[in-house]
Amino acid sequence: MTGELVERLARLEDLAEIQQLYIDYGRHLDAGDPVAYAELFARDAKLRLGPVMRADGRAAIEAVATEVLRAGDERTVHVLASPRITLDGDRATGECVWVAITQPDSGSPPVRVGRHLDKLVREDGRWRFAERKGLIDVGTVSAPG
């Protein structure tokens, strides 16, 4: 294989792994698995999801995810779509659209729509979130408690 072909293949593999990271993010969050969720983040990652989840470092991300997931009585489904990923060696940036639909005990399910702005890093041979910021474009969310 030529060097150019090897580079193109590596780029496609990186993009596929990062897209899987986005899929796993929603899957672990909706499954209520804070340990698997936190593993998606780099050791010194920063998480800034409005008033709901704010933490620095994988251990703190796991702790806040545990707290938020326990506090939620309703079932929520997250849909992450349209990822835009820009690779730069062992770092990348990304943005995706998210939709969160919650099934309350009664009434219509609230729908929230927003975007995640991401910085990603390859750590220990795996792509992980180094920084994730969540923006809400439609709907509202309040801090747990």
Side-chain angles (χ1 to χ4, degrees):
M1 263 197 280
T2 67
E4 180 183 338
L5 190 55
V6 169
E7 287 178 19
R8 289 174 60 194
L9 180 59
R11 180 180 184 280
L12 290 173
E13 289 175 338
D14 286 344
L15 290 172
E17 185 178 341
I18 291 171
Q19 287 175 345
Q20 186 63 50
L21 183 69
Y22 280 81
I23 292 166
D24 290 345
Y25 178 91
R27 187 169 56 92
H28 296 322
L29 193 58
D30 293 343
D33 188 343
V35 174
Y37 176 81
E39 279 295 315
L40 302 174
F41 292 85
R43 285 183 291 276
D44 61 350
K46 295 184 183 323
L47 180 63
R48 302 290 187 266
L49 303 183
V52 178
M53 294 176 88
R54 300 180 67 79
D56 292 342
R58 190 181 295 150
I61 290 170
E62 182 180 333
V64 75
T66 298
E67 178 183 325
V68 167
L69 293 171
R70 280 192 191 141
D73 293 332
E74 306 98 356
R75 169 103 172 102
T76 300
V77 174
H78 293 79
V79 178
L80 292 102
S82 304
R84 180 195 48 79
I85 302 162
T86 303
L87 294 170
D88 184 15
D90 286 339
R91 298 197 169 277
T93 57
E95 178 177 347
C96 75
V97 174
W98 59 263
V99 177
I101 305 162
T102 302
Q103 182 60 56
D105 291 334
S106 63
S108 298
V111 176
R112 295 171 307 281
V113 180
R115 291 167 284 130
H116 286 300
L117 305 176
D118 300 311
K119 293 181 182 176
L120 303 115
V121 63
R122 188 185 336 254
E123 182 179 84
D124 300 327
R126 290 183 48 201
W127 283 99
R128 299 178 193 265
F129 294 108
E131 184 176 313
R132 173 157 262 207
K133 292 181 183 176
L135 305 174
I136 296 177
D137 296 321
V138 177
T140 61
V141 68
S142 55

